[in-house]
Every structure is written in structure tokens, then in C-alpha cells.
Amino acid sequence: SQTIHQWPATLVQPVGSPLSLECTVEGTSNPNLYWYRQAAGRGLQLLFYSVGIGQISSEVPQNLSASRPQDRQFILSSKKLLLSDSGFYLCAWSVHRGSPLHFGNGTRLTVT
Amino acid sequence: AQSVTQLDSHVSVSEGTPVLLRCNYSSSYSPSLFWYVQHPNKGLQLLLKYTSAATLVKGINGFEAEFKKSETSFHLTKPSAHMSDAAEYFCVVSHGASGTYKYIFGTGTRLKVLA
């Protein structure tokens, strides 16, 4: 069966520090991968998605970047965190068009 | 362009009474529609999905939703609320051109279940 791993679960980082969040999927090949952010009390904002290795689509211009160095690995990064980067970050994958998204357990990021 | 509107940000029901969470969508193409549930500080769990098969979709935990194309709606219902249903619920629409798949989320409805 397919599983998705996302870590760390919680993270507290100072303003200006770098960020690296990692997500891996097991049990499937060539998944579509997604990073979402959820601000407190708000819906999910699509940040990036990827349909293949090295292929990244950015939805919102911001302080973050994403990379997909391997088929089932998706990394969210920042060189210098801002206070506004605080939030709940969710990684997800899907098999194909019309298929459901499957989510990781999320990372709670607090930038201080 | 796709969009999703969840008509209520908060819904309160008494335990044992019916639940109705409303969702309207906009899509230029035949959409796939989903409902997800999120408990505090957790990821999202799929409740049910509509992908152009039966218009009445049954999901987990007694939830179901009906796709009504004429009304562009996909409301979520449950006959009898349970305390464990208290959570946030998201309606999602998806359409992708060849090779790309974007999912658009509603802003969520927080369900409160009163004892």
C-alpha cells in the first residue's frame, strides 16, 4: 500500500534562517506531488506541484522554493524565513487526474 | 477557471441530528469533486469523491454527498451527527489539462457537535 511521510512534525525557526521540509511517498511510481500551506483558521493554499522529477510549478510568488530530486521525494525550502512563512505545511500526492489527494500529517512551522 | 465556495464557515448541530455542509463549485470542464475532513493539527482525510459516476456518493463514517450539475453543488450530509464528527471539512474541485492536476480547496467549514 502507498504511504506518505512528512517531517518534521513541528519546527520552530528564527527569522532569516533557512528551511528544508521533506516529503517522501512509498508504494507508487511517478506520483504527482504537492505542497500546500494552511494559515491559522484558513483554507489550503497551493504552493507548488510537480508531475515529474525536476518539474516544478509554482502557484504563488513568495519566499519559498521546491525541488523534486527523486521520483518520490519532494522538498520545500527557503533561504531566509520570514514571519509570514509560519503555518501548517502539508505534502500530498495523487496518482492521476481525478484521483484523490493523499496527505501527509503536516509540519507546523513557527517562525519567531 | 475553477473555484469552490463553502457557504458556511461554521455549522453547529446537536448530537444525533442531521448534518448539512454546503459546497458550490465552478468549473469549465467536468470536475472531480471531493470532501476531506481535518482534525486539529492533522493532515486531511478523504471522506468521499465524485468522478462522473453515480451522482450520489457514499463515503466513510456515514457521510454522503450528491452531485447536482444544474445547481453546481456538492453538499455533504450525514443523517445523525456524532461527537467525533467535530472537525473542519473541505470541499475540493479538480480539473487538469493533460499531464497536470490542480486541486482547488474551499475555505472550510468548521463543524461543532453539541452534546
Side-chain angles (χ1 to χ4, degrees):
Chain A
S1 65
Q2 302 95 345
T3 56
I4 179 170
H5 302 281
Q6 187 182 342
W7 67 92
T10 60
L11 191 60
V12 179
Q13 293 283 100
V15 168
S17 64
L19 173 73
S20 181
L21 302 181
E22 189 164 342
C23 172
T24 60
V25 179
E26 296 178 357
T28 187
S29 297
N30 197 31
N32 298 304
L33 297 171
Y34 302 80
W35 279 110
Y36 285 88
R37 178 169 60 198
Q38 186 176 29
R42 302 180 67 179
L44 275 72
Q45 179 187 35
L46 177 61
L47 302 176
F48 302 95
Y49 68 96
S50 171
V51 299
I53 296 174
Q55 300 179 60
I56 308 295
S57 296
S58 175
E59 289 298 299
V60 182
Q62 55 203 327
N63 187 42
L64 301 171
S65 62
S67 62
R68 184 171 178 173
Q70 301 180 44
D71 180 44
R72 290 170 288 178
Q73 184 184 30
F74 205 23
I75 298 172
L76 183 69
S77 303
S78 174
K79 293 182 179 179
K80 290 186 178 181
L81 284 168
L82 306 173
L83 287 174
S84 59
D85 291 324
S86 294
F88 193 49
Y89 289 82
L90 289 156
C91 181
W93 70 274
S94 69
V95 174
H96 55 70
R97 171 183 175 177
S99 67
L101 278 172
H102 303 280
F103 285 86
N105 286 328
T107 295
R108 172 74 58 192
L109 172 65
T110 303
V111 182
T112 61
Chain B
Q2 303 173 88
S3 67
V4 175
T5 302
Q6 291 185 241
L7 298 164
D8 306 292
S9 59
H10 293 82
V11 170
S12 291
V13 300
S14 297
E15 189 175 22
T17 65
V19 176
L20 170 63
L21 305 183
R22 299 183 294 166
C23 172
N24 286 98
Y25 70 92
S26 172
S27 178
S28 302
Y29 303 90
S30 296
S32 295
L33 293 159
F34 310 89
W35 275 99
Y36 285 83
V37 61
Q38 185 182 30
H39 290 92
N41 294 311
K42 298 293 185 184
L44 280 72
Q45 180 185 19
L46 178 69
L47 280 177
L48 48 81
K49 63 178 180 178
Y50 166 77
T51 54
S52 75
T55 57
L56 182 62
V57 181
K58 294 187 183 298
I60 62 171
N61 301 335
F63 285 95
E64 63 181 38
E66 186 172 7
F67 174 72
K68 292 187 176 180
K69 186 175 181 178
S70 61
E71 299 177 9
T72 61
S73 70
F74 190 57
H75 301 335
L76 182 70
T77 60
K78 183 173 180 178
S80 176
H82 191 272
M83 297 298 289
S84 60
D85 295 328
E88 186 139 27
Y89 292 80
F90 293 95
C91 183
V92 182
V93 64
S94 171
H95 166 73
S98 60
T100 62
Y101 313 104
K102 295 174 69 171
Y103 297 77
I104 306 302
F105 282 72
T107 52
T109 298
R110 186 165 296 280
L111 176 65
K112 186 174 183 179
V113 181
L114 307 172

